[in-house]
Amino acid sequence: MAEAEAVQLKEEGNRHFQRQDYKAAAKSYSQALKLTKDKALLATLYRNRAACGLKTESYVQAASDASRAIDINSSDIKALYRRCQALEHLGKLAQAFKDVQCCATLEPRNQNFQETLRRLNTSIQEELRVQFSTDLRVQKMFEILLDGNSKADKLEKAANNLIVLSREEAGAERIFQNNGVALLRQLLDTKRPELMLAAVRTLSGMCSGHRARATAILHAVRIDRICSLMAVENEELPLTVCNLLQAIIDALSGEDKREHRGKEEALVLDTKKDLKQITNHLLDMLISKKVSGQGRDQALNLLNKNVPRKDLAIHDNSRTIYVVDNGLRKILKVVGQVPDLPSCLPLTDNTRMLASILINKLYDDLRCDPERDHFRKICEEYITGKFDPQDMDKNVIAIQTVSGILQGPFDLGNQLLGLKGVMEMMVALCGSEREADQLVAVEALIHASTKLSRATFIITNGVSLLKEIYKTTKNEKIKILTLVGLCKLGSAGGTDYGLRQFAEGSTEKLAKQCRKWLCNTSTDTRTRRWAAEGLAYLTLDADVKDDFVQDIPALQAMLELAKASTPDKTILYSVATTLVNCTNSYDVNEVIPELVQLAKFSKQHVPEEHPKDKKDFVDMRVKRLLKAGVISVLACMVKADNAILTDQTKELLARVFLALCDNPKDRGTIVAQGGGKALIPLALEGTDVGKVKAAHALAKIAAVSNPDIAFPGERVYEVVRPLVSLLNTQRDGLQNYEALLGLTNLSERSDKLRQKIFKEKALPDIENYMFENHDQLRQAATECMCNMVVNKEVQERFLADGNDRLKLVVLLCGEDDDKVQNAAAGALAMLTAAHKKLCFKMTQVTTQWLEILQRLCLHDRLSVQHRGLVIAYNLLAADAELAKKLVESELLEILTVVGKQEPDEKRAAVVQTARECLIKCMDYGFIKPVS
C-alpha cells in the first residue's frame, strides 16, 4: 500500500512540476520519500526533487538531493548533470566540471554536455589565472614591505594595494591562504608607523564580515598584542587598532549583518569566550599607566559602543552586568583622575567625559532596582573608601569621581551628593591653597548646583569662597570656572523672579564680565566658550537678557562664535540656550489662579514673573535679534555636523525659530535670510518636541509666504510631511489651524504638491477637521479641501461608493459661515464640473440639496453666489432629466431674476453665469426667448 501511494505521490509531483508549481512538486516528492524503500524509486524522487531545487534556486538542497540519487546509482546521468548545475551556481566550478565530465563520458554526442564542459573549463582557467595573479601580487607586496631597502613611494603603493585587496572577499582569502597573517605580524614588529598602520588596516579588512578569519586572526596576533598597539603614544595608530578590534567584535558577535555562505556557514563557533577576553583586556587598559591617553580613549569608545544594549527591547543585558561587576571600579578610577596630581594616568581632554558617558550608558542599561542599587553601592564604597583626613589627594580624587558621575547618570550623582561629608568636602576644598584642589572643587560645585536644593546649600555655605577665589586667583582656568559656577548659582531660581539667589545687581555684574570676555577677540576660544556658557545660565534672569540684546557688540560676538568654522557642541548648545532664554521660548507652566490662591493660603512659594518677561519686552528682544542677523547664524548652526549638533541643540534651535516666527510681519525677513530652508532638517530629525516646534514654525511661514521663494526648488516637497504631522489630535488647535493654512497655500501651487499631500495620507485628517465645531478649523480645512479636489486621485475618493464625502461638502454649503460656504461651494463647483456622476450623486446624498443650491444662488456675497450658479450650470449641463427637475423648481425664477440684472463690473461674472444657465435651458427647449 505504501509503495503504491509513493508512486501516486510521484505522479502528482510530476503534474505539479509540469504546471510550474515547483514548491508543491517538491512537497509531493518529499512525502513519497517517506513511504518507499525501493531504490530505483528513491533515486527518481531525489533526482526530481533536485530539479525542483534548481527551479526555486535552492542550490544547496538541489546538490544534496542529486548526490543522494548518485549514491544509489552512480551512472544516473540526470542526477549528475543536475548536481553539476547546482554546484556551478554555488561557485564550486571544479566539482561541477567533474560531474559534467562523467556526463560527457556516458553520452559523448550530447551537445549540451560538451557546451557546459567548454564553458566551465574557460571559467576555471580564468579563476586560476586571477588566483595565480592575486597570489603573485600578494607575494610581491609582502616582499616590498618586508625589504628594508625599499623606496618610500614603493612602500606606500604596496601598503595601499594590500589594504584595498583585503577589503574584497577574494583578496582577503588569498592573503589569508598565503601565510598573510604571519607576514603581517612581521610588519607589526618593524616598529615603523606607516608599515604598522598598513598591517592593522589590512587585518581589519580581512576580519570584516568573516567570523572564521576574525577568530583565527585574534588567536594568531593575540589580544594582548593588539591592545599594546592601541596603547602607544600616537594619535593615528590607536584609532586604526580600535577599528580592527571593532571589526573583530562585529564579526564575532554577528553585528556585521553579512550573509555567510559556503564553508563559513558550516562553522559553529562559540565566540563568547573570545568576546569576554576582549572586554577584560579593554577594562585592564583603563587603569594601566603604560597606556597613552589616546589608547585609553579608544578603549572607552569600544566599551561604550559594544557593552550596553543597542535596543532596550532586548532582555539580555549580561554584558553590562559583567562589566559592572568586573570593571566599574576601573571606570570610576578613570573618572576620578586629577591631571595636576603626580599619580594621574595619561589622559586627553576627552578621557574623563568618555568615562562619564560609559557610566551613564551602563546605568541606563540596568533593568531593575536591585541592579541599580548594586551599581550605587559599588560607587558609594569606592568614594567613601577614598576619604582620608590624612591624605588630601585621596579626598580630591573622591570629589573628582562624584563630579564625573554627575556628568553621567545625574540621579545617581545626586544620591552620592547626599553621602555624609561630600558637599562639605567640596566647600572645604574651595578654601584650599592648592590650585589643583580649587579647580576640582569648583568644577564639582558647578555640576552639583543643577538641583535647586543643592544650589541653595552652596550659596549658603560656599559662595563667599567662590567670590574670593574669583578675585584672588591668578589661574585663568580657575577664574573662568569660578565665574561659570557663580553664573549657574545665580540662575538656580530659573525664571522665577521671587527666587533670586544673589543680591540685586550681582547677576548683572557677572553677565557684564561674561560679555567682556566674549567681545575680546584676543582671548582664547576656550575662555570665550566658558563665557558663552555663563551667559546661557544668567540669561534666565530677565534683566540680564534685556541688557544682553541691547549690547550689540556682545550679541554679535556670540553669534560670530557660533558661526565659526570649527565650533564645538558646548558652544552651539550654550548659544542656543541663550537665544531660547532671550526669546522666552522655554516651556512655561500654566498658572492656575485657584492653585495660586491655595498656595498663598498654605504659605507655599508662588512663582513670580519678572516684569521684563512680559510680551512687550519679549517682542522687543525678538526685533533686536532679527536686526542683528540671528537667522543667518541659526542657518549656519543647523548645517553643523551631527556629532556637534545634538538632538537637544536642534530642539533649542527649533524653539528659537518658532518664537522668531510669531509675528507675521517678521516672517518675510526670516524667509529672506534662509530661515525657511534651515527649518526643514529640524522638522525631520531630532527630539519629538523639537520636530513639532520646527514643523509649527514651518507652518507659520508656509501659511503666509510664497512657497516658491520660502522653499525654492525641490525643498518645497520636504515641507509637506512636517505640516501633515501637525494634523493630529495630540497637537493643539493653533498648530492644527496653521498647518491647514500652510497646506492650503501649498496645494494652490501645483498638482505635484497636491499629489504629495495626498500621498502623505493627509486627506482623512483634513476631512476630520471639516467636522470640527471650531469655526476657524472647519473653515481652514474646507479651504484646503477646495484646493485638493482639483487632484484626480482626490476626485476618485469622492466618486467611490459607500462614503459621505460629497454629502459633507453639500451640507457645508448650507452653513451660516460665509467663508465655510465659499470654500465648500468652490469644492462642489469643481467636483460637479469634473464628473457628471457627481452631479447625480449630489441630488441623492441629502433631500436638502435643492434648497441649499437655491440659497447659494441668492447669496449676498458675490463669490458664493457665483459658485452656486456654476454648480447650477454643471447640473443643467449634466443631463436633460436633471435639468428638467431644476427648471420645475424655483431655481428657474432665481436664474431669470439674476440674469436680467445689469452686469456692472462687480456683478459681471454672476450675471453672465446666470445667463449661460438660461441658454442651456433654452437649448433643451424647456423655455423660450421673449421677443
Side-chain angles (χ1 to χ4, degrees):
M1 288 293 289
E3 293 294 336
E5 194 177 341
V7 172
Q8 278 185 333
L9 283 166
K10 186 198 84 167
E11 296 301 329
E12 183 186 290
N14 292 347
R15 287 194 294 274
H16 285 309
F17 193 91
Q18 285 166 1
R19 288 198 294 269
Q20 298 181 358
D21 189 351
Y22 304 118
K23 286 184 179 177
K27 189 177 177 183
S28 295
Y29 296 140
S30 298
Q31 288 172 340
L33 282 165
K34 294 173 186 175
L35 298 172
T36 184
K37 291 181 181 177
D38 181 85
K39 287 195 173 182
L41 183 56
L42 282 170
T44 304
L45 290 167
Y46 279 125
R47 186 174 66 214
N48 290 359
R49 198 168 70 172
C52 295
L54 287 172
K55 292 292 185 182
T56 56
E57 298 182 10
S58 306
Y59 300 119
V60 174
Q61 183 65 45
S64 174
D65 282 340
S67 295
R68 289 185 181 186
I70 293 161
D71 289 341
I72 296 166
N73 179 6
S74 59
S75 59
D76 188 334
I77 200 162
K78 286 185 179 179
L80 281 165
Y81 189 61
R82 282 168 192 170
R83 187 169 73 175
C84 161
Q85 289 174 296
L87 290 170
E88 185 182 356
H89 281 290
L90 290 169
K92 297 175 180 179
L93 301 183
Q95 293 173 47
F97 186 79
K98 284 180 186 175
D99 281 345
V100 80
Q101 250 184 340
C102 292
C103 294
T105 306
L106 292 167
E107 287 188 18
R109 293 185 181 180
N110 189 314
Q111 289 300 312
N112 201 15
F113 296 160
Q114 295 299 332
E115 178 58 37
T116 307
L117 260 178
R118 280 193 292 274
R119 188 180 72 250
L120 283 173
N121 185 46
T122 306
S123 300
I124 289 166
Q125 293 304 319
E126 178 61 21
E127 194 178 67
L128 287 169
R129 188 187 67 75
V130 171
Q131 188 174 312
F132 184 66
S133 164
T134 306
D135 289 349
L136 274 177
R137 282 166 62 206
V138 169
Q139 197 178 337
K140 189 74 176 169
M141 286 175 211
F142 277 118
E143 281 174 11
I144 294 168
L145 291 167
L146 292 168
D147 184 356
N149 299 319
S150 296
K151 291 181 181 177
D153 59 333
K154 274 193 171 184
L155 275 173
E156 187 182 349
K157 191 174 179 182
N160 288 337
N161 286 343
L162 197 63
I163 293 163
V164 170
L165 197 62
S166 73
R167 289 172 183 165
E168 299 168 5
E169 175 54 34
E173 191 59 30
R174 295 324 308 157
I175 297 169
F176 189 77
Q177 296 294 346
N178 282 280
N179 197 31
V181 178
L183 294 169
L184 288 166
R185 281 170 62 195
Q186 287 182 43
L187 284 179
L188 292 173
D189 293 334
T190 60
K191 304 295 181 189
R192 293 173 64 180
E194 70 278 12
L195 295 183
M196 292 170 78
L197 279 169
V200 173
R201 284 172 180 155
T202 305
L203 287 168
S204 291
M206 291 167 69
C207 290
S208 293
H210 202 289
R211 188 176 295 177
R213 271 203 305 267
T215 306
I217 287 167
L218 180 65
H219 291 173
V221 184
R222 299 193 327 276
I223 182 63
D224 54 332
R225 177 84 173 103
I226 295 171
C227 289
S228 67
L229 290 169
M230 197 160 75
V232 299
E233 188 70 48
N234 175 311
E235 199 166 327
E236 201 170 4
L237 188 58
L239 179 60
T240 312
V241 178
C242 174
N243 292 335
L244 166 61
L245 265 177
Q246 187 60 58
I248 291 172
I249 292 167
D250 285 347
L252 296 184
S253 62
E255 291 290 328
D256 50 65
K257 301 286 187 289
R258 294 200 192 179
E259 184 185 343
H260 298 300
R261 293 183 65 179
K263 293 179 183 177
E264 182 69 21
E265 193 180 55
L267 286 169
V268 180
L269 300 169
D270 183 11
T271 58
K272 288 180 183 175
K273 190 177 176 183
D274 288 330
L275 288 167
K276 191 172 280 188
Q277 191 184 23
I278 293 169
T279 303
N280 287 333
H281 274 82
L282 291 173
L283 290 169
D284 290 340
M285 282 183 74
L286 299 184
I287 55 170
S288 171
K289 279 217 163 191
K290 293 177 183 176
V291 177
S292 67
Q294 291 92 341
R296 211 176 312 281
D297 284 3
Q298 297 308 333
L300 285 164
N301 280 330
L302 284 167
L303 290 166
N304 263 315
K305 187 171 181 184
N306 298 294
V307 175
R309 291 170 292 169
K310 291 178 176 63
D311 182 1
L312 293 179
I314 300 166
H315 287 292
D316 182 18
N317 68 339
S318 55
R319 283 181 295 188
T320 295
I321 298 297
Y322 180 80
V323 170
V324 170
D325 289 340
N326 297 280
L328 182 55
R329 290 172 184 82
K330 294 172 183 177
I331 302 164
L332 290 171
K333 184 173 180 178
V334 178
V335 165
Q337 292 301 299
V338 181
D340 296 326
L341 295 183
S343 61
C344 185
L345 297 166
L347 304 173
T348 68
D349 291 343
N350 297 321
T351 308
R352 288 186 62 248
M353 181 53 74
L354 287 169
S356 294
I357 291 167
L358 179 56
I359 289 173
N360 189 50
K361 284 190 171 184
L362 292 173
Y363 190 74
D364 285 347
D365 200 42
L366 299 175
R367 290 176 54 202
C368 56
D369 287 342
E371 288 178 1
R372 282 184 275 273
D373 288 341
H374 176 59
F375 193 102
R376 178 178 51 77
K377 281 174 187 172
I378 293 173
C379 295
E380 284 180 3
E381 286 168 12
Y382 183 86
I383 291 161
T384 52
K386 290 289 177 188
F387 282 134
D388 187 347
Q390 307 302 318
D391 190 341
M392 187 54 76
D393 286 359
K394 283 189 172 182
N395 294 328
V396 173
I397 289 168
I399 297 304
Q400 184 81 319
T401 306
V402 174
S403 178
I405 294 170
L406 281 164
Q407 292 175 73
F410 183 76
D411 57 337
L412 172 65
N414 210 38
Q415 287 175 354
L416 296 174
L417 287 173
L419 288 173
K420 188 179 178 182
V422 171
M423 293 297 292
E424 290 79 4
M425 181 57 74
M426 281 186 194
V427 173
L429 285 175
C430 285
S432 171
E433 293 178 2
R434 290 198 310 181
E435 287 187 343
D437 299 353
Q438 290 180 359
L439 197 61
V440 169
V442 170
E443 190 176 341
L445 285 171
I446 289 172
H447 297 309
S449 58
T450 301
K451 210 166 179 71
L452 180 59
S453 58
R454 305 288 179 206
T456 309
F457 174 89
I458 297 162
I459 289 164
T460 309
N461 296 282
V463 80
S464 55
L465 278 171
L466 283 174
K467 287 180 180 176
E468 189 61 31
I469 293 169
Y470 179 72
K471 287 175 186 173
T472 58
T473 186
K474 291 179 182 177
N475 185 318
E476 195 71 9
K477 191 176 177 182
I478 294 175
K479 196 178 187 77
I480 296 160
L481 273 173
T482 309
L483 177 76
V484 174
L486 288 166
C487 292
K488 196 167 181 179
L489 292 170
S491 66
T495 56
D496 188 346
Y497 187 47
L499 282 178
R500 303 192 78 170
Q501 301 296 324
F502 294 160
E504 193 80 36
S506 297
T507 48
E508 285 91 325
K509 285 178 185 174
L510 288 170
K512 195 173 180 182
Q513 181 59 54
C514 287
R515 299 207 306 267
K516 187 178 171 184
W517 268 330
L518 208 53
C519 291
N520 188 354
T521 50
S522 60
T523 310
D524 65 277
T525 308
R526 183 169 181 162
T527 306
R528 296 175 77 206
R529 186 187 77 187
W530 280 112
E533 190 168 336
L535 279 171
Y537 292 124
L538 290 175
T539 46
L540 282 166
D541 185 302
D543 286 320
V544 172
K545 56 182 132 180
D546 221 53
D547 292 344
F548 176 60
V549 294
Q550 290 180 52
D551 186 346
I552 301 302
L555 181 58
Q556 292 287 0
M558 186 188 77
L559 297 178
E560 286 302 319
L561 193 64
K563 273 173 76 176
S565 55
T566 54
D568 65 21
K569 63 177 73 174
T570 312
I571 289 175
L572 291 184
Y573 189 81
S574 300
V575 171
T577 304
T578 304
L579 292 172
V580 165
N581 293 340
C582 289
T583 55
N584 283 36
S585 48
Y586 40 72
D587 288 328
V588 179
N589 291 328
E590 186 184 353
V591 177
I592 300 167
E594 291 83 356
L595 288 179
V596 172
Q597 292 299 322
L598 189 63
K600 285 179 179 177
F601 179 75
S602 58
K603 296 183 180 177
Q604 295 294 315
H605 173 73
V606 179
E608 296 175 41
E609 186 184 40
H610 194 291
K612 289 185 179 178
D613 272 332
K614 295 194 185 301
K615 194 171 186 318
D616 292 347
F617 284 94
V618 175
D619 291 345
M620 191 59 70
R621 287 198 290 271
V622 166
K623 293 280 183 197
R624 289 181 185 278
L625 287 170
L626 286 168
K627 195 174 179 182
V630 72
I631 296 296
S632 57
V633 175
L634 292 171
C636 281
M637 290 168 76
V638 169
K639 290 175 188 172
D641 187 77
N642 270 348
I644 297 168
L645 188 69
T646 62
D647 285 351
Q648 286 73 23
T649 308
K650 287 179 186 174
E651 182 185 320
L652 295 175
L653 295 178
R655 287 175 180 276
V656 176
F657 266 119
L658 183 57
L660 297 173
C661 292
D662 192 52
N663 189 337
K665 292 178 182 177
D666 295 330
R667 293 174 199 170
T669 308
I670 292 165
V671 168
Q673 294 180 10
K677 291 178 283 185
L679 271 166
I680 294 170
L682 294 178
L684 297 173
E685 297 172 1
T687 65
D688 290 340
V689 173
K691 287 191 283 190
V692 170
K693 300 281 183 191
H696 192 187
L698 272 176
K700 285 178 180 287
I701 290 171
V704 298
S705 308
N706 181 340
D708 299 333
I709 297 169
F711 317 107
E714 296 296 308
R715 285 193 187 91
V716 70
Y717 300 104
E718 295 178 51
V719 179
V720 174
R721 183 170 294 173
L723 297 194
V724 172
S725 71
L726 294 177
L727 301 183
N728 188 319
T729 50
Q730 293 178 343
R731 308 284 165 252
D732 63 46
L734 183 62
Q735 290 170 341
N736 299 155
Y737 177 67
E738 292 187 315
L740 286 166
L741 291 184
L743 289 169
T744 303
N745 199 8
L746 292 177
S747 59
E748 195 178 356
R749 306 308 296 176
S750 70
D751 197 57
K752 203 172 173 185
L753 269 169
R754 288 190 282 272
Q755 188 67 22
K756 175 70 175 170
I757 294 168
F758 180 80
K759 283 189 175 174
E760 289 295 338
K761 300 178 180 173
L763 206 65
D765 294 317
I766 296 168
E767 287 169 351
N768 286 342
Y769 287 108
M770 289 168 72
F771 282 105
E772 266 288 338
N773 289 327
H774 195 286
D775 290 344
Q776 286 178 298
L777 275 175
R778 191 166 70 251
Q779 175 203 322
T782 311
E783 285 175 353
C784 188
M785 185 59 78
C786 181
N787 288 343
M788 287 298 294
V789 294
V790 181
N791 181 267
K792 286 183 180 177
E793 289 195 49
V794 176
Q795 291 170 9
E796 291 294 329
R797 291 292 184 94
F798 278 89
L799 282 165
D801 294 325
N803 69 74
D804 290 332
R805 289 187 179 90
L806 191 67
K807 182 178 181 179
L808 172 63
V809 174
V810 174
L811 291 174
L812 287 173
C813 289
E815 285 281 311
D816 293 331
D817 187 321
D818 286 1
K819 289 179 179 177
V820 173
Q821 268 189 308
N822 195 47
L828 194 57
M830 283 185 275
L831 287 167
T832 50
H835 296 279
K836 285 185 180 180
K837 184 181 174 182
L838 290 175
C839 295
F840 294 108
K841 195 173 180 181
M842 176 185 162
T843 64
Q844 296 160 4
V845 291
T846 174
T847 53
Q848 299 171 320
W849 70 272
L850 189 55
E851 183 189 335
I852 290 169
L853 180 59
Q854 290 169 356
R855 281 181 62 193
L856 290 176
C857 293
L858 286 169
H859 207 283
D860 295 336
R861 187 172 170 180
L862 291 175
S863 62
V864 178
Q865 187 180 19
H866 179 238
R867 292 176 184 202
L869 291 165
V870 170
I871 296 166
Y873 178 81
N874 294 338
L875 296 179
L876 288 165
D879 180 69
E881 285 298 317
L882 186 55
K884 189 176 180 183
K885 193 183 288 185
L886 291 172
V887 170
E888 288 170 354
S889 71
E890 292 175 6
L891 188 67
L892 179 60
E893 191 179 337
I894 294 167
L895 292 173
T896 307
V897 171
V898 176
K900 283 182 178 179
Q901 292 175 353
E902 285 299 319
D904 58 29
E905 191 177 335
K906 289 181 180 178
R907 304 183 63 84
V910 171
V911 174
Q912 181 60 32
T913 308
R915 289 177 180 178
E916 284 173 8
C917 289
L918 292 167
I919 291 167
K920 181 58 72 174
C921 292
M922 285 165 58
D923 292 344
Y924 283 129
F926 297 147
I927 60 171
K928 292 179 181 178
V930 179
S931 57

